[in-house]
Amino acid sequence: MARSLSSKELRHKAREVQWEAFRRGLYRFRSNALSMIGLSSLIILVILAFAAPYIAPYPEDARGKTHVTERLLPPSGEHLFGTDKVGRDIFSRVIMGTGLALRVGIVIIFLASIIGVTIGGIAAYAGGWIDDLLMRITDIFLTVPALVLAIAITAALGKGITNVMIGISLVWWPGFARLTRSLVLSLKEEAFVEAADGIGSSHARILFRHILPNALSPIIVKMSTDFGFAVLTAAALGFIGLGAQPPTPEWGAMINDGRERFPSEWWIATFPGLAIFVMVFSWNLLGDGLRDVLDPRSRR
Amino acid sequence: MSSTPLLEIKDLHLEFKTFDGVAKVLAGVNLTMQRGDVLALVGETGCGKSMTALAVPRLIPMPPGKITRGQVLFEGQDLLKKSPEEMQRFRAKHLGMIFQDPTTNLNPLFTIREQLIDAVLYQQHDANKVPSKRNFSSRARTMRKQANERAIELMNLVGIQDGEKRLSDYPHQFSGGMRQRVLIAMALAGEPDLLIADEPTTALDVTIQAQILGLIRDLVKKLNLSVLLITHNLGVVAKTCEKVAVMYAGRVVEESSVKDLFKNPKHPYTQGLINAVPTRHTPRRGLEGIPGLIPNLTQPPEGCRFHPRCPKVMDTCQQIPEARRLSAEHKVYCHLYEDAL
Amino acid sequence: MKLGSYFLRRLLLLIPLLFGLSLLTFTVSRILPGDPVGLAAGPQATEEIKESLRKEFGLDKPLPVQYLSYIGNLFRGEWGQSLYSRREVASDLKVYFPATLELTLAAILFAGIFGTLLGVVSALNRNKLPDHLARVVVLFFVSFPAFWLAMMFQLVFGLALDWFPIGKRLNILMTPPQTITGLYLLDSILTWNWKAFRMAAWHLFIPALVLSFGALASITRITRANMLEALDKDFVRMERALGMPDRVVIFKYVLRNAFIATLTIIALEFGWLMAGAVLVETIFDWPGLGLYIVESSLRLDFQPIMGITIIYGIVFSLVNIFTDMAYGLLDPRIRYG
Amino acid sequence: MTPLLEVKGLKKYFPQRSGLFNQKTSYFKAVDDVSFTVPKGKTLGLVGESGSGKTTIGKCAIRLLEPTEGKILFDGEDISHLPRKVMQQRRSDIQMIYQSPAASLNSRMTIGQIIAEPLWIHQKMGGYQAQQRVLELLNVVGLKEEHYHRFPHEFSGGQQQRVGIARALAVNPKLIILDEPTSALDVSVQAQVLNLLQQLQDDFDLTYVFISHDLGVVRYLCDEVALLYLGKIVEIASVKTIFEAPKHPYTQALISAIPEPDPEDKKEQILLKGDATSARPRQGCPFAGRCHAPKIAACETKEPPLIATDAGHYVACHLHTTHSHPSGEHHA
């Protein structure tokens, strides 16, 4: 009989195998120039978010300081993006708003995916009347387009950025619930899940050890591609006037600020809009690349 | 042997680009078929039998596939040199193909009539002469009417009762065996010179398999068809064909008449393959498998590709074996034998 | 006919769904914090005035009673009154809804046509330049906030180039076509009013275009993926083996297979666009549900909010039902049962 | 001696929904009143074409599907209604091996984790001890130790099936249900796996239920064979009897349809008409629509019961039972 391999050797081999799988994924992702652009630009945005107080020339403007003498100045060396109607430096406010936009996106996507995955997973695995009940509730949320319901809920909760995040999360989870449910339902039919049942696994073991790990990739893909849309939706609520209240430098609200003076003082609305675009575009590029790696079926 | 063979494949090399490297899927396939032959191409998964079959109508996706060397001669003309348009016309006129899975090879959204009539029209006429569905000139109507009649005739030919009525059905309304019959009808629409059948009964139940093989045998007799039958099932070979070529890892290793092959297999792989099938004479625990695994085709073994698994391996097996002619009909690619002719 | 009974079943299922929806919006608008009466009555209002307002709107009754009476009224076609304008919600909806519908329909038409086209081109040129280009372009346009893009388009095409009007459904001076459906384009065709048709189309073009970008990316991507999947099917190889030319294989046989799956996405995107219309309407002064809901939300005017969400719910559900039925007509395998 | 597995009157109906409210309107009878026994250490073959219910029987026997009716006695104990928790423990005695080796292994787990899982579930065995046991099992099924940390997709079908076998063996089961374990494999690999299965049966005194559509393999591997047609057993006997003296016309046709790898074999093939589902008559013998044997009146009117004709040979065919069966039936 051959000499038994020691645990250490086996573990070493395991690491090699995993590293190899990881490298393949990385290779596919890296060979996609667009997603690399998206990733780099996002990294820059994250750095910007943390370093904003040190980079912004007038960080106090983001906290509401006004300069009556410097109202409505067009872009110049002093004020790269110009100033708004109370003389605040738009460049500083845009930079200081980066962190907020990122935070809003992250909170919404995490809240929505946690609620959605839990509900969808339970519905699909339990089946029967539990499934019926949960899915009917999900359907009710899906009957009205997300933005409309988000407006209604946020309005009822009261204006403010926290309520925007709650409102959007509350209408965003059904998408995750539907996705998770369909994933779990099809995984439940897979032979390896049946085999797990066949060796005597408990329900919890089947769900957490066999089904959910295999459902993870598409959920992550959806999280990454939804991120941009969540940021856009939050900005829309800000634009309507339901979101962050002045003087918070929220990009959507800033566009709303500039609207009445558009197009004569075009810079007030233009630059925050471009900032939203850069963030959303970066996320979309990244999400598209992630989809290639994690969900190879979608792009061959 | 003076006449030009119907089909001659010479030294065909095919590569496939994969993540792990370039797989040498076919490495010098040689195969000859005369008009009227019913030839089985037999082998296990990954031996390249389907790729060889698909190389004839040039249906291998390229990329990732790439033919690096060799010829596919049909009555002497090299198919690999034809332009895509010429090839499409050639397929329509001279070839018929049936595939393994009858459920996926019919388009689910169109009626059998629509698909069968198109098959008739495009095989009988040049593609640019086929009228569009919205063309109501008398010529177009006549063509469609004739195609419809031909379709009914074909349905009867493949043994579908009330063929005329069933033309209006959709594929999902047919059982698996019936769908395979429809596919055979489509393949025969233009009276092809050569029918290539790629595992035509593998997805079917045994009793249905018997029906379809019976149909193919009848058609061979009735229409004087030449058939290239690709299969992994030695039983199907024995029941249906007269000649057989055995493939292993991208090469033909033995060619012979069916009778001779089963009575007198020469290549160690062929011997192993035949012994691996349980028959009524196999005693309990008397089955022999072939040890080892099929090689990874990105790094195939040197020389004879079977030598790492061969019980009779010798030093010379490091070289690619030439064809040895044991009789007029029996060829083997193995260093164990000498030319008898 | 199976299709009929399927339709009936779906319509019946709509009833509990709308009940649920009304309950949801009712809960949201009545139980959550915020003081609509206070807002409506104004800051100077005395407690008595507020009290009488509450009584007038039935807000003094227990919540279940309020809900039941609301539902009862709903069935009688009485959708309540705005706290603010005192106008009937139902008649407001009748005015605003067709405008939104027309805008959304035009946008989904653009997105459907261009998305499918781009998707097909992408798939047929897989991993070549046109494919990559299409991918970037649609990702680019979907990444803009619709309201901001609307402003920019207004600036460029309306003010700078003066090619298109900058807002509203028609010139202020023009009388709209006689109302039949409320969709100006359709009404002007029905009344043979070509001048109104041209004018309405001219006004509609830019808002619909801006709106359509939101749906372009996913329609393109799905069409591309479906095309590739369909091209990979066994029957495509079979059709080629039969000697059919590629144009027949692709445009007759593959396209229908790909389009069926795209249809579902188009229905889904219809809902997304109808919501997106809210934002585009505010920019282009488009007298639709968008402006209505924004104003009502800011004032916590709950009767219109409920009415609007229910209208959205009905329309979106109907769109889904119709898509499912179209799906069934295109795919003979679907059995309604 | 009590048989290790006894199935009595097993039925499995799947409800079909339709109508305005998606109500249950009819039942698809996948398995309809099936009984058989498997003695310890023997192999019973369940043979049939697609739709015959053979896999459903296998899954009911290990309670992966809940039987609609009937009893399943394992070692004398009725397990057909055991609560899930108890049944989970019983599964250390009954294991299953699946048709598609790739699909039955979780692609996110290593071979080591896959084989160790039942050890943890049933014996709470982990760490070094479990690893040693897994390495031992890898040896038993003919895999190498360095495969321990590999993932299933890196293996060929035959090797994957060996992993499945090792997983099933991990907890020393008494009974293994083999659901077409070699139908996805090449013949040379099939032979290896069949040899392995025979070896394991001898070494560990295993009892097999072998589900297959391949009569050639069944003839080679099984001691007794039950033939299924549309959810019912039509004939059951020792393997020798079935292949040498089949009585049911379906069995005869099926055996004649085996493509023997022998060009000299000139046995007459019985070609059946149509296929099982569409040729099923509304009443009478379910096989009557395809039957090649001369029909008698009873064929069209009532279903033939499964009745012993000789010792250990049961047939459900009017041609073989009308004249010989016990008197009670005549009065019907």
Side-chain angles (χ1 to χ4, degrees):
Chain A
M1 197 183 118
R3 181 186 63 96
S4 274
L5 293 168
S6 72
S7 309
K8 211 172 123 198
E9 281 171 302
L10 282 171
R11 230 177 301 132
H12 182 71
K13 282 220 181 284
R15 234 174 273 134
E16 262 174 38
V17 169
Q18 282 160 357
W19 175 237
E20 174 66 23
F22 179 71
R23 251 191 39 218
R24 283 183 189 211
L26 201 66
Y27 171 82
R28 244 192 304 176
F29 185 75
R30 275 219 317 252
S31 60
N32 181 343
L34 287 176
S35 34
M36 286 313 284
I37 296 174
L39 183 64
S40 334
S41 129
L42 266 179
I43 291 173
I44 293 172
L45 285 174
V46 170
I47 295 172
L48 214 58
F50 281 103
Y54 312 103
I55 295 173
Y58 310 95
E60 67 283 356
D61 286 15
R63 294 175 202 117
K65 193 167 179 208
T66 55
H67 313 269
V68 192
T69 48
E70 297 176 23
R71 297 172 65 233
L72 305 171
L73 294 178
S76 65
E78 192 133 333
H79 298 284
L80 280 179
F81 293 174
T83 62
D84 65 10
K85 63 181 176 203
V86 288
R88 294 176 297 203
D89 179 47
I90 294 180
F91 180 64
S92 302
R93 286 174 60 78
V94 165
I95 289 188
M96 297 289 280
T98 313
L100 183 64
L102 276 172
R103 206 160 63 232
V104 168
I106 291 169
V107 169
I108 292 171
I109 293 300
F110 271 89
L111 274 180
S113 57
I114 288 168
I115 303 174
V117 169
T118 312
I119 288 183
I122 291 174
Y125 194 75
W129 67 269
I130 298 179
D131 183 22
D132 276 343
L133 180 73
L134 290 178
M135 279 305 116
R136 289 302 83 80
I137 293 174
T138 312
D139 281 347
I140 290 170
F141 278 87
L142 284 171
T143 325
V144 182
L147 181 66
V148 174
L149 205 53
I151 290 174
I153 294 179
T154 313
L157 288 170
K159 295 169 186 174
I161 195 72
T162 314
N163 288 343
V164 164
M165 290 193 273
I166 296 173
I168 299 181
S169 308
L170 280 181
V171 298
W172 214 275
W173 65 265
F176 283 96
R178 273 279 184 87
L179 174 72
T180 310
R181 178 173 178 272
S182 72
L183 286 168
V184 173
L185 277 184
S186 66
L187 283 167
K188 246 169 90 175
E189 302 299 316
E190 292 278 338
F192 73 85
V193 173
E194 200 172 57
D197 195 0
I199 57 171
S201 308
S202 60
H203 282 311
R205 191 178 183 87
I206 294 173
L207 189 59
F208 289 106
R209 184 113 178 96
H210 294 282
I211 292 182
L212 284 182
N214 282 283
L216 212 55
S217 297
I219 292 171
I220 291 175
V221 169
K222 183 172 167 62
M223 286 172 79
S224 73
T225 47
D226 272 14
F227 191 96
F229 292 111
V231 171
L232 281 180
T233 308
L237 292 193
F239 174 74
I240 290 172
L242 287 171
Q245 298 303 303
T248 316
E250 198 272 322
W251 293 340
M254 286 167 73
I255 298 177
N256 192 20
D257 260 358
R259 212 193 135 198
E260 55 206 67
R261 298 185 179 276
F262 192 83
S264 52
E265 278 89 26
W266 54 270
W267 55 87
I268 307 178
T270 304
F271 291 107
L274 281 176
I276 297 175
F277 166 74
V278 169
M279 175 166 291
V280 175
F281 192 43
S282 314
W283 264 105
N284 284 348
L285 288 177
L286 177 76
D288 217 43
L290 268 184
R291 185 202 310 273
D292 285 3
V293 177
L294 294 176
D295 185 10
R297 216 185 62 90
S298 74
R299 192 174 186 94
R300 289 171 284 183
Chain B
M1 296 288 283
S2 58
S3 68
T4 331
L6 178 70
L7 177 71
E8 196 174 7
I9 297 173
K10 278 188 179 167
D11 197 31
L12 190 65
H13 284 69
L14 171 72
E15 294 180 350
F16 253 83
K17 209 177 257 172
T18 68
F19 188 85
D20 299 305
V22 177
K24 288 138 197 124
V25 174
L26 299 181
V29 172
N30 290 299
L31 196 68
T32 311
M33 248 187 107
Q34 303 295 339
R35 196 170 270 277
D37 273 356
V38 179
L39 173 76
L41 193 57
V42 67
E44 296 182 290
T45 313
C47 71
K49 56 187 190 302
S50 286
M51 281 300 150
T52 309
L54 286 175
V56 178
R58 297 231 323 250
L59 287 173
I60 297 171
M62 302 196 197
K66 192 180 170 201
I67 288 177
T68 51
R69 211 191 313 166
Q71 291 177 305
V72 178
L73 302 172
F74 190 88
E75 292 185 322
Q77 43 175 324
D78 191 349
L79 298 184
L80 300 182
K81 295 220 169 77
K82 284 186 185 290
S83 73
E85 288 73 33
E86 286 168 355
M87 197 56 215
Q88 174 232 314
R89 191 68 209 112
F90 174 85
R91 287 197 288 258
K93 244 178 161 158
H94 300 285
L95 289 181
M97 277 207 81
I98 36 178
F99 297 95
Q100 176 171 348
D101 191 346
T103 32
T104 57
N105 275 297
L106 283 166
N107 196 320
L109 305 186
F110 294 83
T111 58
I112 299 297
R113 170 175 283 117
E114 184 93 35
Q115 300 185 55
L116 192 50
I117 284 185
D118 266 357
V120 172
L121 287 174
Y122 285 102
Q123 290 190 34
Q124 289 185 339
H125 308 279
D126 276 346
N128 49 15
K129 296 216 180 83
V130 174
S132 102
K133 263 188 101 176
R134 277 170 292 277
N135 183 341
F136 293 106
S137 69
S138 67
R139 190 184 135 265
R141 277 202 307 240
T142 324
M143 269 170 97
R144 275 198 296 269
K145 203 164 151 254
Q146 282 168 350
N148 194 46
E149 271 156 25
R150 173 76 177 141
I152 297 167
E153 192 185 310
L154 285 164
M155 294 287 270
N156 291 333
L157 179 71
V158 296
I160 297 178
Q161 269 132 30
D162 5 295
E164 187 169 2
K165 217 171 78 200
R166 300 228 58 187
L167 275 177
S168 316
D169 285 351
Y170 285 94
H172 71 272
Q173 289 162 296
F174 284 73
S175 68
M178 282 305 191
R179 270 177 251 181
Q180 197 60 294
R181 284 175 197 267
V182 171
L183 284 160
I184 294 174
M186 284 166 74
L188 295 178
E191 303 183 334
D193 297 298
L194 172 64
L195 179 70
I196 300 176
D198 187 359
E199 304 261 13
T201 60
T202 305
L204 304 174
D205 275 326
V206 194
T207 56
I208 311 295
Q209 164 169 290
Q211 293 172 0
I212 296 293
L213 291 179
L215 174 67
I216 292 177
R217 281 195 300 265
D218 287 350
L219 291 172
V220 165
K221 257 184 247 157
K222 216 184 281 178
L223 306 175
N224 201 15
L225 271 177
S226 312
V227 181
L228 178 61
L229 180 84
I230 287 84
T231 180
H232 68 278
N233 188 330
L234 286 172
V236 170
V237 175
K239 280 269 150 325
T240 320
C241 301
E242 293 140 26
K243 294 185 182 173
V244 55
V246 182
M247 280 190 80
Y248 181 79
R251 288 194 195 117
V252 171
V253 295
E254 190 163 1
E255 255 185 282
S256 154
S257 71
V258 167
K259 267 190 193 151
D260 211 24
L261 188 92
F262 281 96
K263 213 189 292 168
N264 206 1
K266 290 297 185 195
H267 198 285
Y269 174 66
T270 315
Q271 294 167 352
L273 201 59
I274 290 174
N275 286 337
V277 187
T279 68
R280 66 203 128 141
H281 311 296
T282 317
R284 185 177 153 80
R285 307 212 52 174
L287 205 58
E288 290 171 38
I290 304 174
L293 300 168
I294 50 167
N296 176 352
L297 292 179
T298 53
Q299 293 148 351
E302 290 290 313
C304 170
R305 285 185 166 182
F306 187 60
H307 82 257
R309 298 173 76 183
C310 185
K312 297 172 186 164
V313 62
M314 310 176 293
D315 289 344
T316 43
C317 295
Q318 293 292 332
Q319 266 115 49
I320 299 175
E322 293 289 316
R324 312 291 151 108
R325 280 194 177 279
L326 305 175
S327 71
E329 289 203 310
H330 203 150
K331 257 193 271 183
V332 63
Y333 295 76
C334 176
H335 294 291
L336 286 170
Y337 305 96
E338 296 294 334
D339 258 330
L341 296 175
Chain C
M1 180 66 187
K2 283 262 168 106
L3 196 65
S5 91
Y6 174 78
F7 183 60
L8 199 66
R9 195 175 100 217
R10 291 287 304 260
L11 280 184
L12 286 176
L13 282 174
L14 201 58
I15 294 171
L17 199 67
L18 290 175
F19 258 111
L21 180 64
S22 63
L23 193 61
L24 176 73
T25 40
F26 185 82
T27 315
V28 164
S29 60
R30 302 287 168 93
I31 297 176
L32 292 171
D35 179 16
V37 173
L39 271 174
Q44 277 92 35
T46 59
E47 202 44 52
E48 285 90 72
I49 298 179
K50 288 187 187 173
E51 201 51 50
S52 72
L53 259 177
R54 276 198 193 96
K55 199 159 255 157
E56 187 189 334
F57 283 90
L59 296 176
D60 54 338
K61 299 200 186 87
L63 281 170
V65 178
Q66 285 185 37
Y67 177 68
L68 287 178
S69 74
Y70 179 79
I71 287 293
N73 289 336
L74 212 55
F75 272 105
R76 265 177 272 127
E78 287 168 30
W79 292 46
Q81 247 183 27
S82 160
L83 266 176
Y84 251 84
S85 65
R86 300 291 176 105
R87 278 206 307 267
E88 285 294 322
V89 172
S91 60
D92 275 354
L93 289 177
K94 226 177 268 169
V95 176
Y96 297 136
F97 173 66
T100 297
L101 187 66
E102 182 161 43
L103 179 60
T104 313
L105 283 174
I108 200 74
L109 199 70
F110 283 166
I113 291 172
F114 290 118
T116 312
L117 221 66
L118 278 174
V120 170
V121 170
S122 254
L124 295 181
N125 294 285
R126 157 156 55 153
N127 291 335
K128 292 190 199 135
L129 189 66
D131 184 17
H132 296 306
L133 218 59
R135 179 188 200 176
V136 183
V137 167
V138 294
L139 277 183
F140 182 82
F141 278 113
V142 81
S143 302
F144 285 108
F147 49 94
W148 183 84
L149 203 61
M151 284 162 72
M152 295 299 146
F153 271 49
Q154 210 175 33
L155 174 64
V156 174
F157 296 107
L159 294 168
L161 296 171
D162 199 19
W163 288 352
F164 290 94
I166 57 165
K168 302 248 189 295
R169 297 177 79 184
L170 281 178
N171 277 358
I172 310 174
L173 299 177
M174 202 166 168
T175 36
Q178 190 194 337
T179 307
I180 301 170
T181 59
L183 308 179
Y184 283 4
L185 286 185
L186 198 58
D187 285 351
S188 56
I189 292 175
L190 290 175
T191 55
W192 221 248
N193 185 347
W194 290 110
K195 201 164 157 244
F197 182 81
R198 266 208 322 276
M199 221 30 155
W202 194 36
H203 279 75
L204 183 62
F205 184 77
I206 289 290
L209 187 69
V210 172
L211 187 55
S212 73
F213 289 142
L216 202 57
S218 46
I219 294 178
T220 305
R221 184 174 57 229
I222 297 286
T223 306
R224 180 188 183 276
N226 292 334
M227 260 319 260
L228 286 181
E229 199 177 322
L231 279 169
D232 218 30
K233 289 268 164 74
D234 281 349
F235 57 74
V236 173
R237 190 178 58 182
M238 181 70 197
E239 284 150 8
R240 289 215 166 105
L242 288 168
M244 294 187 198
D246 281 0
R247 70 183 150 81
V248 175
V249 174
I250 290 169
F251 292 105
K252 176 169 181 182
Y253 287 107
V254 173
L255 203 57
R256 195 189 288 186
N257 281 273
F259 186 70
I260 283 187
T262 305
L263 203 64
T264 332
I265 279 297
I266 292 184
L268 220 71
E269 288 297 327
F270 184 86
W272 179 257
L273 288 191
M274 205 152 77
V278 170
L279 303 165
V280 175
E281 283 175 7
T282 52
I283 304 293
F284 287 103
D285 234 349
W286 193 268
L289 291 177
L291 278 172
Y292 192 38
I293 194 174
V294 169
E295 280 165 16
S296 312
S297 303
L298 290 173
R299 293 171 186 153
L300 281 182
D301 196 350
F302 55 83
Q303 297 283 31
I305 294 181
M306 289 192 66
I308 295 167
T309 40
I310 287 171
I311 273 285
Y312 269 110
I314 293 173
V315 173
F316 193 33
S317 303
L318 285 177
V319 167
N320 275 326
I321 294 175
F322 284 126
T323 337
D324 284 358
M325 286 171 59
Y327 205 104
L329 289 177
L330 286 172
D331 189 342
R333 284 167 300 180
I334 306 274
R335 279 281 149 269
Y336 298 110
Chain D
M1 191 179 90
T2 51
L4 187 67
L5 177 71
E6 184 170 4
V7 169
K8 275 187 185 167
L10 178 69
K11 290 182 184 172
K12 178 66 191 176
Y13 294 176
F14 293 100
Q16 308 282 295
R17 289 169 183 277
S18 65
L20 200 57
F21 298 101
N22 221 8
Q23 63 273 49
K24 290 179 197 174
T25 45
S26 61
Y27 289 93
F28 170 66
K29 301 178 178 180
V31 177
D32 199 8
D33 200 4
V34 160
S35 307
F36 58 83
T37 58
V38 192
K40 202 164 167 36
K42 297 286 182 195
T43 304
L44 170 78
L46 289 180
V47 184
E49 298 181 286
S50 50
S52 63
K54 53 190 190 299
T55 297
T56 309
I57 295 175
K59 284 183 182 167
C60 285
I62 162 171
R63 293 271 311 279
L64 282 175
L65 287 174
E66 293 302 318
T68 308
E69 232 177 78
K71 275 190 182 145
I72 295 152
L73 302 166
F74 179 77
D75 227 352
E77 177 195 22
D78 184 1
I79 59 166
S80 58
H81 290 97
L82 288 182
R84 185 178 160 85
K85 281 257 178 276
V86 186
M87 191 59 217
Q88 263 166 253
Q89 291 158 16
R90 285 297 178 284
R91 286 196 176 137
S92 65
D93 287 334
I94 314 173
Q95 280 293 308
M96 183 146 176
I97 287 167
Y98 302 84
Q99 176 170 12
S100 163
S104 67
L105 305 175
N106 187 341
S107 58
R108 302 208 165 235
M109 288 163 77
T110 63
I111 303 303
Q113 289 170 328
I114 289 171
I115 302 175
E117 196 174 15
L119 295 172
W120 172 252
I121 293 170
H122 292 286
Q123 297 162 12
K124 293 281 170 267
M125 188 197 277
Y128 180 76
Q129 212 187 350
Q131 195 183 62
Q132 288 312 301
R133 173 80 176 126
V134 171
L135 292 177
E136 190 186 316
L137 285 161
L138 285 174
N139 266 323
V140 166
V141 299
L143 290 169
K144 297 193 185 117
E145 293 187 344
E146 60 254 38
H147 293 154
Y148 187 91
H149 272 303
R150 300 251 143 206
F151 285 93
H153 66 87
E154 301 172 64
F155 291 91
S156 70
Q159 289 172 314
Q160 286 168 343
Q161 201 54 295
R162 287 172 196 266
V163 175
I165 295 172
R167 170 175 61 188
L169 285 179
V171 285
N172 299 316
K174 295 176 183 150
L175 172 72
I176 300 185
I177 292 165
L178 303 150
D179 184 10
E180 308 230 25
T182 61
S183 67
L185 305 177
D186 276 321
V187 275
S188 65
V189 182
Q190 163 175 288
Q192 296 171 4
V193 172
L194 292 179
N195 284 344
L196 175 66
L197 289 173
Q198 285 189 332
Q199 170 98 45
L200 296 173
Q201 182 165 42
D202 295 353
D203 291 356
F204 300 108
D205 195 22
L206 294 171
T207 306
Y208 287 155
V209 173
F210 186 81
I211 297 164
S212 179
H213 67 272
D214 186 337
L215 278 164
V217 174
V218 167
R219 178 174 54 193
Y220 173 66
L221 200 76
C222 300
D223 301 298
E224 229 184 320
V225 184
L227 277 115
L228 289 150
Y229 190 80
L230 292 173
K232 289 197 156 89
I233 291 181
V234 295
E235 187 161 6
I236 183 165
S238 74
V239 74
K240 196 166 181 295
T241 317
I242 286 284
F243 283 92
E244 283 171 11
K247 285 197 167 149
H248 198 285
Y250 177 65
T251 316
Q252 293 165 354
L254 212 54
I255 289 171
S256 85
I258 309 176
E260 298 279 356
D262 177 5
E264 312 276 294
D265 171 59
K266 287 290 172 241
K267 77 176 173 221
E268 190 58 33
Q269 271 203 0
I270 303 165
L271 283 189
L272 293 179
K273 286 166 284 184
D275 59 290
T277 340
S278 55
R280 176 181 203 154
R282 219 161 289 147
Q283 56 165 351
C285 173
F287 185 61
R290 302 175 79 195
C291 192
H292 54 92
K295 269 186 211 84
I296 58 174
C299 297
E300 316 259 306
T301 52
K302 72 180 178 119
E303 278 201 52
L306 187 68
I307 282 175
T309 56
D310 305 299
H313 192 169
Y314 296 79
V315 183
C317 175
H318 291 303
L319 297 177
H320 293 279
T321 51
T322 327
H323 311 295
S324 57
H325 62 62
S327 56
E329 292 282 326
H330 279 293
H331 307 300

